[in-house]
Amino acid sequence: MKLKPLHDRIVVKRMEEEEKTAGGIIIPDTAKEKPQQGKVMAVGEGKFTENGNRTPLSVKEGDRILFGKYAGTEIKVEGEEFLIMREDDVLAIVQ
Amino acid sequence: MKLKPLHDRIVVKRMEEEEKTAGGIIIPDTAKEKPQQGKVMAVGEGKFTENGNRTPLSVKEGDRILFGKYAGTEIKVEGEEFLIMREDDVLAIVQ
Amino acid sequence: MKLKPLHDRIVVKRMEEEEKTAGGIIIPDTAKEKPQQGKVMAVGEGKFTENGNRTPLSVKEGDRILFGKYAGTEIKVEGEEFLIMREDDVLAIVQ
Amino acid sequence: MKLKPLHDRIVVKRMEEEEKTAGGIIIPDTAKEKPQQGKVMAVGEGKFTENGNRTPLSVKEGDRILFGKYAGTEIKVEGEEFLIMREDDVLAIVQ
Amino acid sequence: MKLKPLHDRIVVKRMEEEEKTAGGIIIPDTAKEKPQQGKVMAVGEGKFTENGNRTPLSVKEGDRILFGKYAGTEIKVEGEEFLIMREDDVLAIVQ
Amino acid sequence: MKLKPLHDRIVVKRMEEEEKTAGGIIIPDTAKEKPQQGKVMAVGEGKFTENGNRTPLSVKEGDRILFGKYAGTEIKVEGEEFLIMREDDVLAIVQ
Amino acid sequence: MKLKPLHDRIVVKRMEEEEKTAGGIIIPDTAKEKPQQGKVMAVGEGKFTENGNRTPLSVKEGDRILFGKYAGTEIKVEGEEFLIMREDDVLAIVQ
């Protein structure tokens, strides 16, 4: 089973603490809006502009991203939890 | 009797728990904005842009979709309940 | 006497319970924003876009429509009650 | 003395109860946003679009209109009360 | 000393009660948003549109105008009080 | 050391009471939103429009301006206080 | 490990008090919205306009910038703290 997010939405698999990279991005507990790390599982085809064209997304499947703590909606597929958010909720791509 | 939703609206038949797929998308009870699953029964012709063209919808009749719990307006037609929502309330298409 | 609604507004005659169709669209009493059924009596010429053209309405005189409970403004003409609402308050056309 | 409303504004003379037409549009007392009837005394030249053109108004001097109860600003000129409102506050033209 | 208002702003000299015209525009004391009368002392060059052009103002120096009571910011220049407001706060030109 | 404000922002040196001009713009103490006087020290290159062009600012270095009391953000550079505000916060240029 | 901010976002390394320049930009403690100083570590490729082009950023890697105290989201990478903010939160470039 697969999810195909619409327009500027993406499906993200949250990366738990134990999945942290060697470099170690640590999310401070006290920050008001905590960034979090995840892996992009699927991306939409982009939002339509007024001219009827789509603006393609800048993140792609497989990207490791940072996003705000309250970004997106949580869903569970086959026992695994995912997040569906808009690309605008993505802060940065981790390279 | 048929419903023809206007512009970017769609008519959705909510899928009850017992209609869950084998893969089993489970909607967590505690999530603030719970996603839900449904089947698209009818779609509008798309919103007009400033140039007078319509932007066609990306979902089509028969699509299985995920949407937020409070998306849309509930109506009852011939004893069956439906939801009328905007396409922007659709989170993802289930494939 | 006739009413000519402006731009994207329409004049609607609310359909009472006893006017329900055979198919029977029932509006749930407990729904937060209850949809309702009516008949379109008159339509505006459409909203102007930035280019100075009008976007014609998608509903037309005689259409049977569903709309939210709080849509529009109530007026009384020659003893009959009507609603004046924007086309965007229309959820769907009943066919 | 004359008033020339700016852009999309119009000057309206409210029609008192005793001025009601034969058809008799009655404004319900309990309606949250009560429509009211008036006569257009002067209209602006229209709002500017982004291209520097004006969108002409759809109401004209002499039109009998319906508008919401709280539409516009009240002014008194030579003892008579008028309303200055935006065309978007006009619900319909009475023909 | 002169003031040159920016873009769509204008400098207005409020007309006191004793400066009322023969026709006598009277501002009702109880109105929620009281219109007021003034004389335009200086006008801006107009707001920029997206194409980089300015939309010229429709009021000009010397115009007698009506505006809402809370429109604009009060300043004092050489002992005299003025108002700086946006043209959109102007209700009508008195002719 | 110099500050280069971004886009439609400007750097302003507030003019203290003792720096008042001969003409004497006096800012009333009781006004809800008090205008204030300052000198423009640096200006941005203008905001981008949708076409990718910048709209140049209408104020320039050296201009004496009026602005609202709560406009901008205060900063201290080499012991002197400055304000960084958007051009839209500028009410008028004093000539 | 590197962060690539999306669209109009930038990664900023906050400059501590001891890193102040000779000129000494001091941020007043009592200011409601305190500006702060930092160094740009990475910039996005710019926001998309309606025509599908990106508007390039006006700040670049290495720039020393001033920004509001509550601008951006704090993240920690390899023990160092960074901020991810939108370019619009940048008040000025320090030269």
Side-chain angles (χ1 to χ4, degrees):
Chain A
M1 201 182 86
K2 263 193 66 181
L3 293 179
K4 188 186 144 202
L6 281 190
H7 305 123
D8 59 333
R9 285 192 168 95
I10 61 174
V11 177
V12 175
K13 174 81 191 135
R14 204 189 284 269
M15 289 170 68
E16 303 300 333
E17 294 296 309
E18 60 278 8
E19 292 178 79
K20 269 185 315 188
T21 60
I25 289 182
I26 299 153
I27 295 104
D29 268 78
T30 55
K32 222 171 42 211
E33 184 196 341
K34 297 184 202 170
Q36 288 183 308
Q37 204 172 155
K39 200 172 152 184
V40 178
M41 308 305 286
V43 302
E45 285 170 65
K47 240 196 313 207
F48 280 108
T49 64
E50 281 294 309
N51 333 326
N53 302 314
R54 289 188 186 265
T55 304
L57 297 199
S58 299
V59 298
K60 56 179 195 304
E61 220 185 292
D63 277 354
R64 190 170 288 227
I65 58 168
L66 292 181
F67 49 88
K69 193 190 182 180
Y70 302 111
T73 304
E74 291 187 350
I75 57 160
K76 226 184 217 177
V77 182
E78 298 168 21
E80 273 187 293
E81 286 194 351
F82 293 98
L83 277 166
I84 298 181
M85 63 181 71
R86 291 180 189 275
E87 194 197 58
D88 197 55
D89 293 325
V90 177
L91 300 172
I93 298 173
V94 182
Q95 292 176 318
Chain B
M1 200 181 88
K2 263 193 65 181
L3 294 179
K4 188 185 144 203
L6 282 190
H7 304 121
D8 59 333
R9 285 191 168 95
I10 61 174
V11 177
V12 175
K13 174 81 190 134
R14 203 189 284 269
M15 289 169 68
E16 304 300 333
E17 294 296 309
E18 60 277 8
E19 292 178 81
K20 270 186 314 188
T21 60
I25 289 182
I26 299 153
I27 295 103
D29 267 78
T30 54
K32 223 171 42 211
E33 183 197 341
K34 298 184 203 170
Q36 289 184 308
Q37 204 172 156
K39 201 171 152 184
V40 178
M41 308 305 285
V43 302
E45 285 170 64
K47 239 194 315 206
F48 279 109
T49 64
E50 281 294 309
N51 331 327
N53 303 314
R54 289 189 188 262
T55 304
L57 296 199
S58 299
V59 298
K60 57 180 194 306
E61 220 183 293
D63 276 354
R64 190 170 289 227
I65 57 168
L66 292 181
F67 49 88
K69 193 190 182 180
Y70 302 111
T73 304
E74 292 188 350
I75 57 161
K76 226 183 218 178
V77 182
E78 298 168 22
E80 273 187 292
E81 285 194 351
F82 293 98
L83 278 166
I84 298 182
M85 63 181 72
R86 291 179 188 277
E87 193 196 58
D88 198 54
D89 292 325
V90 177
L91 299 172
I93 298 173
V94 182
Q95 293 176 318
Chain C
M1 200 181 88
K2 263 193 65 182
L3 294 179
K4 188 185 144 203
L6 283 190
H7 304 121
D8 60 333
R9 284 191 169 95
I10 61 173
V11 178
V12 175
K13 175 79 190 136
R14 202 190 287 269
M15 290 169 66
E16 304 300 335
E17 295 296 309
E18 60 278 7
E19 292 177 80
K20 268 186 316 188
T21 61
I25 289 183
I26 298 153
I27 295 102
D29 268 79
T30 54
K32 223 171 43 211
E33 184 197 341
K34 298 185 203 168
Q36 288 183 309
Q37 205 173 155
K39 200 172 153 186
V40 178
M41 309 304 286
V43 303
E45 286 171 65
K47 239 193 316 204
F48 280 109
T49 65
E50 281 293 309
N51 330 327
N53 303 314
R54 289 189 188 261
T55 304
L57 296 199
S58 299
V59 298
K60 58 181 192 306
E61 220 184 292
D63 277 355
R64 191 169 287 228
I65 59 168
L66 292 180
F67 48 88
K69 193 189 182 180
Y70 302 112
T73 304
E74 293 188 349
I75 57 161
K76 226 184 217 176
V77 182
E78 298 166 23
E80 272 187 294
E81 285 195 350
F82 293 98
L83 277 166
I84 299 182
M85 64 181 73
R86 292 179 188 276
E87 194 196 56
D88 197 53
D89 293 325
V90 177
L91 299 173
I93 298 173
V94 182
Q95 292 176 318
Chain D
M1 200 181 88
K2 262 193 66 181
L3 293 180
K4 189 184 144 204
L6 283 189
H7 304 121
D8 59 334
R9 285 192 169 95
I10 62 174
V11 177
V12 175
K13 174 79 189 138
R14 202 190 286 268
M15 291 169 65
E16 304 300 335
E17 294 295 310
E18 60 278 8
E19 291 177 79
K20 266 186 317 187
T21 61
I25 289 183
I26 298 153
I27 295 102
D29 268 79
T30 54
K32 222 170 45 209
E33 184 197 341
K34 299 185 202 167
Q36 289 183 309
Q37 204 173 156
K39 200 172 152 186
V40 178
M41 309 305 285
V43 303
E45 286 171 64
K47 239 194 315 204
F48 279 110
T49 64
E50 281 293 310
N51 331 327
N53 302 315
R54 289 189 188 261
T55 304
L57 295 199
S58 300
V59 299
K60 57 180 194 304
E61 221 184 293
D63 277 355
R64 191 170 288 228
I65 59 167
L66 292 181
F67 49 87
K69 192 189 182 180
Y70 302 112
T73 304
E74 294 187 348
I75 57 161
K76 227 185 217 174
V77 181
E78 298 166 22
E80 273 187 295
E81 285 195 351
F82 293 97
L83 277 166
I84 299 182
M85 64 181 71
R86 292 179 187 276
E87 193 197 55
D88 197 54
D89 293 325
V90 177
L91 299 173
I93 298 174
V94 182
Q95 291 177 321
Chain E
M1 201 182 85
K2 263 193 65 181
L3 293 180
K4 189 184 144 206
L6 281 190
H7 304 120
D8 59 334
R9 285 193 169 94
I10 61 174
V11 178
V12 175
K13 174 80 190 135
R14 202 190 286 267
M15 290 169 65
E16 304 300 335
E17 294 296 309
E18 60 277 9
E19 292 177 80
K20 267 186 315 184
T21 61
I25 289 183
I26 298 152
I27 294 103
D29 267 79
T30 54
K32 221 171 47 213
E33 183 195 341
K34 300 184 203 168
Q36 289 183 307
Q37 203 173 159
K39 200 172 152 185
V40 178
M41 309 306 285
V43 302
E45 287 170 63
K47 240 194 316 205
F48 279 110
T49 64
E50 281 292 309
N51 331 326
N53 303 315
R54 288 187 188 264
T55 304
L57 295 200
S58 299
V59 298
K60 56 179 196 305
E61 221 185 292
D63 277 354
R64 190 171 288 230
I65 58 168
L66 292 181
F67 49 87
K69 192 191 181 179
Y70 302 111
T73 304
E74 293 187 348
I75 58 160
K76 227 185 218 175
V77 181
E78 296 166 24
E80 273 186 293
E81 285 195 352
F82 293 98
L83 277 166
I84 298 182
M85 65 181 70
R86 292 180 187 275
E87 194 197 55
D88 197 54
D89 293 324
V90 178
L91 299 172
I93 298 174
V94 183
Q95 290 178 320
Chain F
M1 201 182 86
K2 262 192 65 180
L3 294 180
K4 188 184 144 205
L6 281 191
H7 305 121
D8 59 333
R9 285 193 169 94
I10 61 174
V11 177
V12 175
K13 174 79 189 137
R14 202 189 286 268
M15 290 171 65
E16 303 300 334
E17 294 296 309
E18 59 278 8
E19 292 177 79
K20 269 187 314 185
T21 61
I25 289 182
I26 298 152
I27 294 102
D29 268 78
T30 54
K32 222 171 44 212
E33 184 195 340
K34 299 184 204 168
Q36 289 184 306
Q37 203 173 159
K39 200 171 153 186
V40 178
M41 309 306 286
V43 302
E45 287 169 64
K47 239 195 315 205
F48 279 109
T49 65
E50 281 293 309
N51 331 327
N53 302 315
R54 288 188 188 264
T55 304
L57 295 199
S58 299
V59 299
K60 57 179 195 304
E61 222 186 291
D63 277 354
R64 191 171 288 229
I65 58 168
L66 292 181
F67 49 87
K69 193 192 182 179
Y70 303 111
T73 304
E74 293 187 349
I75 58 160
K76 226 185 218 177
V77 181
E78 297 168 24
E80 273 186 293
E81 285 195 352
F82 294 98
L83 277 167
I84 298 181
M85 65 181 70
R86 291 181 188 275
E87 194 196 54
D88 197 54
D89 292 325
V90 177
L91 299 172
I93 299 173
V94 183
Q95 290 177 321
Chain G
M1 201 183 85
K2 262 192 66 180
L3 293 179
K4 189 186 145 203
L6 281 191
H7 304 122
D8 60 334
R9 285 193 169 93
I10 61 174
V11 177
V12 175
K13 174 80 190 137
R14 203 189 285 268
M15 290 170 66
E16 303 301 333
E17 294 296 309
E18 59 277 9
E19 292 177 78
K20 270 187 313 186
T21 61
I25 289 182
I26 298 152
I27 294 102
D29 268 77
T30 55
K32 221 171 45 212
E33 184 196 340
K34 298 184 204 170
Q36 288 184 307
Q37 203 172 158
K39 200 171 152 185
V40 178
M41 308 306 286
V43 302
E45 286 170 63
K47 238 194 316 206
F48 279 109
T49 65
E50 281 293 309
N51 332 326
N53 303 314
R54 288 188 187 264
T55 304
L57 296 199
S58 299
V59 298
K60 56 180 195 304
E61 220 186 292
D63 277 354
R64 190 171 289 228
I65 58 168
L66 292 181
F67 49 88
K69 193 191 181 179
Y70 302 111
T73 304
E74 293 188 349
I75 57 160
K76 225 184 217 176
V77 182
E78 298 168 22
E80 272 187 294
E81 284 194 352
F82 293 98
L83 277 166
I84 298 182
M85 63 182 70
R86 292 181 188 274
E87 194 197 55
D88 197 54
D89 292 324
V90 178
L91 300 172
I93 298 173
V94 183
Q95 291 177 319

